[in-house]
Amino acid sequence: MSEKIVIHGNRALSGTVKISGAKNSVLKLMAGALLSKHPVALHNTPALSDVTVMADVLRHLGCTVTLSPGVVSIDASGANSIDAPYELVSKMRASFNVLGSLLGRFKEARVALPGGCSIGKRNVDLHVKGLTALGADVEIIHGYVEAKASRLVGAEILLDTPSVGATENIMLAAVFAEGTTVLSNAAQEPEITDLANFLNAIGADVNGAGTNEIIIHGVSPSAMRETSYTVMPDRIEAATYIIAAAATRGSLVVQDIIPAHLNSLTHKLLDMGVSIESISPNSLKVSSNKRLQAQNIVTQPYPGFPTDLQAPLMALLCVSDGVSIVKETIYESRFKQVAELIRMGANVSEERNVAIVNGIETLSGAEVQAHDLRAGASMIIAGLQAKGCTEIRNIHHIDRGYEYVVDKLSSLGADIRRAKDDALTDLPTPDMQTAIVSNNPQANPDSNV
């Protein structure tokens, strides 16, 4: 029997929410742990099904991986395989980042192409170009990227576009390359900086992360060391709760964040009429008590407006005053939430990569589906602000990226439950959540996490 999330909406959120470790960072740090033969402990690890998938990928490669409350421990000293098969890589795009780590450590890798996904085709040509520049022979054969190198040598690499995945894979492969690698037009996302900081913590020499030029001075594998590292907070989760507070005309304190990571969103929300107040270096207070103004959005690489927030914000734009134009420039097929919002009464039209949102007074609860992770977040925000009952299906997408989302929202005053069949009974999030339930501050009041 499938699970669903049931929301009785039109209730303002209030209280304090603590933000979890970043999904889009921890998965890449786990891939980076392959470079070291020494134990690595990643703290502030969120309880997400994607973390479980990456743990399975690493175990297949010969690593020992232990999941415990808020921590993933990785010992890659026994890694003995360079082959990441399709049945694992296809479950999660981020697992493709083992390509750079395997090539860097073993000078050989065979990793399945993850193929297309629910938000459209994402090519690997920039990955191939970068690894080839480092001295690898790279071929795509029978759905696998096969890379080999007798030696890797630092190079000057210019990316055609600032691809996050390509930047990460090149960084990982270049850690042990002879000489210096200069990566220009690199992605500048905070998760790139977190990966660089982690690599330096285990013994690498990476400079410039967070700018468009990253410099990697190659080191010897003997430079690697045992490390404990704390994962950065999840800026997309934080932004989702901020949008939810505005959508429900609530008042919310969002803690354990890096406010600067949220500037592109908070500037838009301020223009819409949301009140946002800094109450400490790592927390914001967000409140709204009125209908907000329409706003135009264009997704861009960081520090521009994130593609991951396009769908969540659209749920708020649907009930804003005026007409909003949303242009998606990063991925194709990323308007999967539109049809579901229309089921809830929204007035949205789309053509190719542009959506026109005519704001209405209110949404109505309906049966909807989460077609991907961020579309699922859009459905939750829509359900929280809608009149009536909303039932969201395909919630396994939501469990990929939002830790304890039902528990957290319930603690903030939302009428929200997991349900199986049609009985409203609380159900555990699958996979990793059972293993690290004590990481939930609501479920375990004594937790320090």
Side-chain angles (χ1 to χ4, degrees):
M1 296 288 182
S2 60
E3 293 182 20
K4 60 186 177 182
I5 289 176
V6 179
I7 305 172
H8 293 277
N10 199 28
R11 297 180 58 163
L13 298 183
S14 65
T16 299
V17 61
K18 293 184 178 182
I19 298 305
S20 305
K23 175 189 86 79
N24 287 339
S25 183
V26 69
L27 301 175
K28 313 307 174 63
L29 306 189
M30 292 175 71
L34 267 170
L35 291 169
S36 178
K37 295 183 179 180
H38 300 280
V40 168
L42 299 175
H43 297 267
N44 199 32
T45 294
L48 303 172
S49 57
D50 270 10
V51 173
T52 305
V53 172
M54 182 60 89
D56 288 341
V57 172
L58 295 181
R59 290 183 183 116
H60 175 85
L61 297 173
C63 303
T64 300
V65 184
T66 303
L67 303 174
S68 56
V71 183
V72 57
S73 300
I74 303 168
D75 184 347
S77 60
N80 56 9
S81 174
I82 52 89
D83 194 332
Y86 179 74
E87 57 266 25
L88 290 175
V89 177
S90 63
K91 293 180 180 180
M92 183 184 63
R93 176 84 186 190
S95 58
F96 190 68
N97 280 92
V98 299
L99 174 64
S101 294
L102 289 173
L103 181 63
R105 177 169 171 180
F106 297 108
K107 304 300 182 288
E108 186 175 3
R110 183 175 184 270
V111 179
L113 286 168
C117 68
S118 60
I119 59 173
K121 183 179 180 182
R122 294 191 270 186
N123 291 324
V124 299
D125 55 334
L126 296 180
H127 303 246
V128 173
K129 176 182 176 181
L131 299 181
T132 300
L134 293 174
D137 293 323
V138 185
E139 295 182 286
I140 299 177
I141 303 174
H142 304 304
Y144 280 77
V145 176
E146 297 187 2
K148 294 182 180 180
S150 57
R151 58 197 284 255
L152 295 174
V153 180
E156 294 188 2
I157 302 170
L158 173 64
L159 294 179
D160 295 334
T161 59
S163 162
V164 172
T167 298
E168 291 163 338
N169 256 330
I170 294 167
M171 286 171 62
L172 292 167
V175 166
F176 296 148
E178 300 172 21
T180 298
T181 297
V182 179
L183 179 57
S184 300
N185 199 27
Q188 300 178 53
E189 274 72 3
E191 293 80 10
I192 298 291
T193 302
D194 209 33
L195 176 60
N197 290 340
F198 167 74
L199 292 175
N200 289 338
I202 64 174
D205 187 351
V206 182
N207 301 277
T211 74
N212 64 1
E213 183 176 272
I214 299 175
I215 300 172
I216 306 105
H217 299 289
V219 299
S220 167
S222 63
M224 296 292 100
R225 54 182 175 259
E226 183 174 350
T227 303
S228 291
Y229 186 85
T230 301
V231 181
M232 63 172 276
D234 195 317
R235 62 191 175 101
I236 305 301
E237 184 198 23
T240 301
Y241 284 101
I242 289 171
I243 295 169
T248 62
R249 300 186 185 182
S251 179
L252 199 62
V253 174
V254 185
Q255 290 185 338
D256 297 342
I257 64 173
I258 301 176
H261 291 173
L262 301 166
N263 282 345
S264 63
L265 171 70
T266 54
H267 289 165
K268 288 290 183 183
L269 292 179
L270 287 169
D271 289 344
M272 294 177 71
V274 179
S275 173
I276 302 176
E277 178 186 357
S278 175
I279 59 176
S280 80
N282 66 344
S283 61
L284 294 174
K285 183 177 181 179
V286 182
S287 57
S288 177
N289 59 8
K290 61 184 179 181
R291 191 179 185 198
L292 302 173
Q293 297 300 307
Q295 191 73 199
N296 295 337
I297 303 295
V298 178
T299 63
Q300 296 175 323
Y302 189 86
F305 191 87
T307 181
D308 280 351
L309 293 182
Q310 174 260 113
L313 188 63
M314 188 180 289
L316 175 57
L317 297 177
C318 284
V319 295
S320 297
D321 185 17
V323 178
S324 301
I325 298 175
V326 180
K327 185 175 182 181
E328 173 60 57
T329 70
I330 307 298
Y331 296 127
E332 61 184 13
S333 303
R334 203 157 202 194
F335 285 147
K336 294 292 183 67
Q337 76 277 8
V338 168
E340 306 304 314
L341 290 170
I342 290 172
R343 287 181 54 81
M344 301 179 72
N347 184 351
V348 185
S349 60
E350 61 171 304
E351 183 173 351
R352 304 184 71 174
N353 68 328
V354 176
I356 300 174
V357 184
N358 290 273
I360 61 174
E361 287 290 337
T362 186
L363 297 174
S364 299
E367 295 182 8
V368 294
Q369 297 189 50
H371 291 286
D372 60 54
L373 171 56
R374 305 309 174 185
S378 181
M379 293 301 97
I380 288 178
I381 293 169
L384 290 171
Q385 67 185 347
K387 291 183 177 179
C389 179
T390 297
E391 296 186 1
I392 306 172
R393 291 179 167 80
N394 289 344
I395 64 171
H396 63 278
H397 288 300
I398 297 170
D399 290 332
R400 289 186 49 233
Y402 290 94
E403 180 183 46
Y404 306 117
V405 64
V406 170
D407 290 340
K408 286 185 177 181
L409 287 170
S410 180
S411 74
L412 301 173
D415 186 346
I416 181 171
R417 296 287 188 275
R418 285 180 175 269
K420 196 168 186 177
D421 295 326
D422 288 322
L424 295 183
T425 54
D426 289 333
L427 296 170
T429 301
D431 302 315
M432 187 178 174
Q433 183 151 341
T434 301
I436 66 172
V437 66
S438 60
N439 190 37
N440 179 1
Q442 281 76 39
N444 180 8
D446 297 324
S447 172
N448 293 321
V449 178

